[in-house]
Amino acid sequence: MATLFALTAMLVHLAAPTGVHSPTGVQSPQQRHARPVDSGGAVVAAVKPGWRLPLHSRPNGQSVGVLGSRTVYGGPMTLPVVRKRGDWLGVLTAAMPNGRLGWVKAEPGALAFGRVPLKLEADLSRQSLRVWSRGRVVRRIRVGIGRPGTTTPTGRFSITDKMPGRSLGPYYGCCLLALSGNQPHPPPGWTGGARLAIHGGAYGAVSAGCLHASMANLRYLMRRVPLGTQITIHA
């Protein structure tokens, strides 16, 4: 699990999403499938510099926070859009509890839209991560997962930040991909923050909730997986 205070304190340069294409419009989300289908890529919305958008728990509901153009780790705020109701967009964001969408109003000029061509699927029972592109698996990655008592949460999340791991400490390996999810049951006395991530570490059910991968696979993910890519984690 990534150390929140160490990550927040760093000034990190994050690469812009790669393989993102301009959308023709925001589409309604497809039903969840055991084998995800990619028909042109998922819609993402990046908050433009200088904008601060109120975050709501539902359309026209009370504001529960504010989203700026940068994440708490300094990267571009890139939000997967999974629902649309008029001018309101349902987005995946770390500012909301696991399993709950946040809603932002698409103010004119506030958001830059694109499409992300990949999807990730983590299977905890098999301790594997699959990278999907256009309905087919393009890479299979062995991963370590959360140990009993601090199991990796299941649900739909997204990649919010990409950063070098070695600057954060000896625990993360070369690279770290932060997820929008949080660990609701950290170990007793844990002071490392609640955000989930994919980073280096041992295999097996050994972590406080994060996914562990080899250095070669982490470098692949850093290179190929854009910010805003969705990841589904299931048992």
Side-chain angles (χ1 to χ4, degrees):
M1 186 180 300
T3 304
L4 179 61
F5 303 108
L7 296 179
T8 305
M10 286 190 61
L11 180 61
V12 180
H13 175 72
L14 296 172
T18 58
V20 177
H21 309 285
S22 298
T24 56
V26 179
Q27 298 177 347
S28 300
Q30 297 178 348
Q31 297 294 323
R32 178 180 172 184
H33 297 283
R35 302 176 71 84
V37 176
D38 186 345
S39 56
V43 175
V44 296
V47 181
K48 292 184 179 180
W51 282 89
R52 291 174 59 82
L53 295 179
L55 178 68
H56 301 257
S57 59
R58 62 181 184 276
N60 294 310
Q62 184 176 1
S63 176
V64 294
V66 177
L67 298 179
S69 62
R70 293 280 163 179
T71 71
V72 294
Y73 303 141
M77 182 68 75
T78 309
L79 306 166
V81 178
V82 298
R83 290 187 186 174
K84 184 178 183 294
R85 294 183 185 174
D87 293 335
W88 290 91
L89 306 177
V91 299
L92 295 174
T93 168
M96 297 297 292
N98 293 354
R100 294 186 58 185
L101 292 181
W103 291 84
V104 295
K105 196 168 187 179
E107 301 289 350
L111 298 168
F113 292 94
R115 287 186 183 271
V116 170
L118 301 179
K119 295 180 182 179
L120 305 180
E121 177 197 4
D123 186 327
L124 300 182
S125 64
R126 297 185 178 183
Q127 297 184 19
S128 70
L129 177 71
R130 297 192 290 184
V131 181
W132 290 84
S133 176
R134 301 186 183 280
R136 66 186 184 93
V137 176
V138 295
R139 194 169 181 106
R140 299 175 189 270
I141 297 172
R142 182 186 178 193
V143 293
I145 63 172
R147 60 182 174 267
T150 60
T151 54
T152 303
T154 59
R156 180 168 55 172
F157 309 103
S158 69
I159 305 297
T160 65
D161 298 86
K162 298 191 291 186
M163 58 197 78
R166 298 195 188 282
S167 301
L168 307 174
Y171 317 105
Y172 305 112
C174 69
C175 327
L176 184 148
L177 295 89
L179 307 185
S180 60
N182 293 280
Q183 171 57 280
H185 305 294
W190 181 263
T191 59
R195 284 286 292 278
L196 300 171
I198 306 171
H199 59 75
Y203 294 128
V206 297
S207 80
C210 288
L211 300 175
H212 293 174
S214 70
M215 298 304 104
N217 283 317
L218 286 172
R219 291 190 179 99
Y220 169 86
L221 293 172
M222 291 285 285
R223 221 174 34 246
R224 296 293 304 274
V225 177
L227 298 180
T229 298
Q230 295 182 44
I231 174 171
T232 298
I233 302 176
H234 60 82

